[in-house]
């Protein structure tokens, strides 16, 4: 059942303390900043956040971490030259970090959405990020068993939604959105525009509405100069 | 004897070795320079891990779009024929062996082709891996681009990596300012040297190396 919310605060009103939350975005591209800021206002604590990065600058995910709401982050690339809020929490021992190679992160989320119980991947084999994990030699090559990441909520950003929740994205802002949408009990999407059902070409829909539970329109994103900080 | 290569000369050399029509991922930092030397006739398609094939040059002025960035989060442009896809597909392209070449920087490469390029292992260093491990094991050819020596003169081509590994036996070639190394089942073969002789190179790296092979007769005669 799809709910169209009046505002971001209403959209995140079901996210309580201790929730596991997938947050889309690669750096600032595709990061659902308005939903994250609403979650910050809601005040939920002890969150586990799954996102590629651990926040840039001082807004969005960085602000949520800076406010001490995130107990644990599962991500691939936390450290950047503008990740000061995460860096401070990490060095103070106030946030737990589970570091995951980026492709394993995406596939762990995808596999949760696809009902897979785990998968063997060559990524990370023989490295410290595979320490303690089950391994297997398949076809003469080493593989590591990785587990799915299922969440209570996914907060993602898309370009447009129709009234049944079908989504289209914009350029590299798509990134983790489609896999995260499939892997949460409740997926909440912020979009720039909502269109009538039938206005999106069915051939071009990227995320079918079956994966979407809540929509909120936050207006078109401001085209601003992204940070030019280096990072993987 | 030719001179030691500059960073740009090294990038040009790597670019010239990429086969026509290849799908290529260029890592952050020095490898990005390679794109400056790819020619139109090479028809190379650039992949960026955050979900794009057909990536164009860095964006400038009005072209800058916060939704169109590369793996280093730098604004870029799209070329005709570009495509966008989600992260699981993007990393499936790597892991599934669909990329022909990736070019990465490195802290160390071992004689077996082990790569260390993501973490110094220092207690104060906050680790960040990004897509490095997926790239290292995924592409058909993994080219490393680096200075051969550290600032204090130690070889970064080593018997065994002392930094935490990114991938095991994954590097196929090492391009450095002083030599190009091929990782082969017989050991590391030097393809050519720059600004030093093979014997001087042996002294610098203190590892057993296979000498450059003489040009095949057929190539000389053609």
């Amino acid at each position: 059942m799809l709910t169209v919310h009046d505002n971001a605060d209403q959209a995140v009103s079901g996210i309580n303390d201790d929730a596991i939350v997938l947050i889309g975005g690669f750096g600032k591209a595709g990061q659902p900043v308005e939903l994250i800021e609403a979650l910050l206002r809601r005040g939920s604590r002890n969150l586990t956040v799954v996102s590629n990065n651990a926040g840039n600058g001082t807004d969005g995910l960085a602000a949520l971490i800076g406010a001490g709401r995130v107990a644990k982050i599962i991500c691939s690339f936390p450290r950047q030259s503008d990740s000061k809020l995460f860096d401070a929490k990490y060095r103070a021992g106030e946030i737990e970090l589970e570091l995951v190679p980026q492709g394993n992160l995406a596939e762990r989320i995808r596999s949760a959405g696809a009902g897979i119980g785990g998968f063997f991947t060559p990524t990370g084999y023989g490295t410290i990020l595979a320490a303690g994990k089950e391994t297997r030699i398949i076809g003469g090559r080493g593989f590591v068993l990785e587990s799915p990441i299922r969440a209570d909520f996914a907060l993602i950003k898309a370009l447009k939604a129709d009234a049944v929740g079908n989504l289209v994205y914009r350029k590299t802002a798509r990134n983790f959105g489609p896999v995260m949408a499939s892997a949460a009990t409740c997926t909440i999407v912020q979009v720039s525009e909502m269109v009538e059902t039938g206005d999106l070409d069915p051939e071009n829909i990227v995320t079918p509405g079956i994966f979407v539970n809540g929509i909120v329109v936050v207006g078109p994103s401001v085209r601003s100069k992204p940070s030019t900080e280096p990072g993987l | 004897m030719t001179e030691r290569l500059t960073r740009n000369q090294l990038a040009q050399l790597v670019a010239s070795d990429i086969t026509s029509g290849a799908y290529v991922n260029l890592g952050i930092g020095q490898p990005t320079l390679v794109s400056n030397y790819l020619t139109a006739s090479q028809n190379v398609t650039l992949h960026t891990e955050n979900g794009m094939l057909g990536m164009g040059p860095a964006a400038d002025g009005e072209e800058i779009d916060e939704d169109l960035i590369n793996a280093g989060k730098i604004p870029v442009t799209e070329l005709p024929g570009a495509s966008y896809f989600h992260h699981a597909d993007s990393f499936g392209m790597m892991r599934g062996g669909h990329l022909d070449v990736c070019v990465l920087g490195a802290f160390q490469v071992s004689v077996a082709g082990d790569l260390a390029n993501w973490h110094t292992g220092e207690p104060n260093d906050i680790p960040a891996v990004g897509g490095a491990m997926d790239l290292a094991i995924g592409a058909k050819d993994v080219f490393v681009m680096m200075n051969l020596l550290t600032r204090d003169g130690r070889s970064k081509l080593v018997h065994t990596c002392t930094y935490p590994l990114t991938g095991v036996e994954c590097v196929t070639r090492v391009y450095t300012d002083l030599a190009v190394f091929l990782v082969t089942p017989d050991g590391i073969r030097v393809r050519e040297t720059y600004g030093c002789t093979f014997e001087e190179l042996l002294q610098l790296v203190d590892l057993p190396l296979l000498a450059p092979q003489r040009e095949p007769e057929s190539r000389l005669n053609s």
Side-chain angles (χ1 to χ4, degrees):
Chain A
M1 178 68 196
L2 182 75
T3 307
V4 179
H5 298 283
D6 293 335
N7 55 58
D9 292 277
Q10 189 187 83
V12 303
S13 61
I15 305 180
N16 294 324
D17 292 356
D18 309 316
I20 301 172
V21 186
L22 307 172
I23 297 183
F26 182 90
K28 290 179 179 171
Q31 191 180 138
V33 172
E34 284 79 1
L35 286 174
I36 299 167
E37 288 178 348
L39 182 57
L40 181 62
R41 287 192 293 274
R42 175 161 170 73
S44 307
R45 310 193 71 86
N46 202 36
L47 300 170
T48 294
V49 167
V50 185
S51 195
N52 188 60
N53 302 103
N56 309 69
T58 54
D59 59 0
L61 181 53
L64 195 68
I65 291 168
R69 307 291 169 73
V70 182
K72 178 179 179 180
I73 186 153
I74 303 175
C75 73
S76 88
F77 205 78
R79 186 205 64 229
Q80 302 182 96
S81 50
D82 65 346
S83 59
K84 294 182 182 66
L85 292 173
F86 168 80
D87 295 358
K89 288 286 174 196
Y90 182 79
R91 291 191 198 287
E94 292 171 6
I95 188 166
E96 183 186 347
L97 170 66
E98 180 181 340
L99 191 70
V100 181
Q102 197 171 152
N104 287 359
L105 185 66
E107 194 63 16
R108 289 177 65 186
I109 297 165
R110 195 201 69 80
S111 65
I116 303 293
F119 57 94
F120 282 97
T121 173
T123 303
Y125 181 82
T127 75
I128 58 175
L129 295 188
K133 294 182 176 173
E134 185 179 337
T135 59
R136 188 174 294 184
I137 304 296
I138 302 172
R141 192 173 192 202
F143 287 77
V144 184
L145 179 63
E146 291 287 352
S147 56
I149 299 175
R150 170 158 277 288
D152 302 309
F153 292 90
L155 304 181
I156 64 172
K157 178 181 175 180
L159 178 65
K160 293 180 187 178
D162 66 13
V164 297
N166 294 315
L167 304 177
V168 293
Y169 299 82
R170 188 165 179 276
K171 301 184 185 287
T172 58
R174 180 182 307 192
N175 58 67
F176 283 89
V179 288
M180 287 185 169
S182 72
T185 305
C186 179
T187 292
I188 303 162
V189 189
Q190 69 170 63
V191 295
S192 301
E193 187 186 352
M194 209 151 166
V195 299
E196 296 294 325
T197 298
D199 283 357
L200 296 177
D201 181 350
E203 296 283 5
N204 292 339
I205 286 165
V206 177
T207 296
I210 191 170
F211 296 125
V212 177
N213 304 93
I215 299 276
V216 62
V217 179
V218 298
S221 63
V222 180
R223 276 177 60 145
S224 63
K225 187 172 163 43
S227 70
T228 52
E229 308 292 353
L232 281 179
Chain B
M1 187 168 59
T2 51
E3 294 293 305
R4 173 178 170 168
L5 298 180
T6 65
R7 282 162 66 91
N8 282 320
Q9 287 169 330
L10 190 59
Q12 191 168 12
L13 178 65
V14 173
S16 69
D17 280 352
I18 291 175
T19 53
S20 177
Y23 288 94
V24 175
N25 185 299
L26 300 176
I28 289 161
Q30 197 176 355
T32 306
L33 292 174
V34 172
S35 65
N36 297 340
Y37 298 98
L38 293 168
T39 62
S41 64
Q42 275 179 289
N43 195 28
V44 163
T45 302
L46 291 181
H47 171 264
T48 182
E49 68 187 17
N50 53 315
M52 180 185 195
L53 279 166
M55 179 174 65
D60 190 32
E62 283 297 299
E63 294 173 332
I64 291 173
D65 181 336
E66 65 177 5
D67 288 340
L68 181 46
I69 59 174
N70 67 11
K73 308 189 174 78
I74 307 291
V76 291
T77 52
E78 66 184 28
L79 296 177
S83 55
Y84 297 107
F85 33 84
H86 62 64
H87 248 78
D89 278 351
S90 183
F91 281 78
M93 287 175 197
M94 295 182 197
R95 201 189 303 108
H98 305 283
L99 295 181
D100 297 296
V101 178
C102 79
V103 185
L104 297 169
F107 297 147
Q108 289 174 327
V109 178
S110 82
V111 292
D114 295 349
L115 172 67
N117 79 346
W118 71 282
H119 185 27
T120 64
E122 296 291 326
N124 282 336
D125 188 12
I126 298 175
V129 66
M133 289 187 180
D134 306 274
L135 272 172
I137 59 86
K140 291 174 192 154
D141 263 307
V142 176
F143 293 175
V144 161
M145 236 178 125
M146 65 182 190
N147 286 333
L148 181 58
L149 304 176
T150 62
R151 284 190 187 137
D152 53 359
R154 284 175 300 160
S155 174
K156 291 156 77 172
L157 185 66
V158 294
H159 181 268
T160 307
C161 294
T162 53
Y163 288 112
L165 291 186
T166 308
V168 177
E169 296 179 8
C170 55
V171 176
T172 53
R173 288 188 197 175
V174 184
Y175 288 84
T176 76
D177 49 344
L178 293 169
V180 176
F181 303 90
L182 309 177
V183 182
T184 80
D186 302 327
I188 300 278
R189 180 172 297 283
V190 176
R191 193 179 77 174
E192 71 253 9
T193 61
Y194 296 95
C196 65
T197 64
F198 176 69
E199 289 69 27
E200 288 167 342
L201 190 65
L202 281 171
Q203 295 288 317
L204 287 172
V205 303
D206 194 23
L207 291 169
L209 298 174
L210 302 169
Q213 287 175 317
R214 285 178 24 210
E215 290 288 302
E217 296 281 331
S218 58
R219 206 196 284 185
L220 290 174
N221 293 340
S222 64

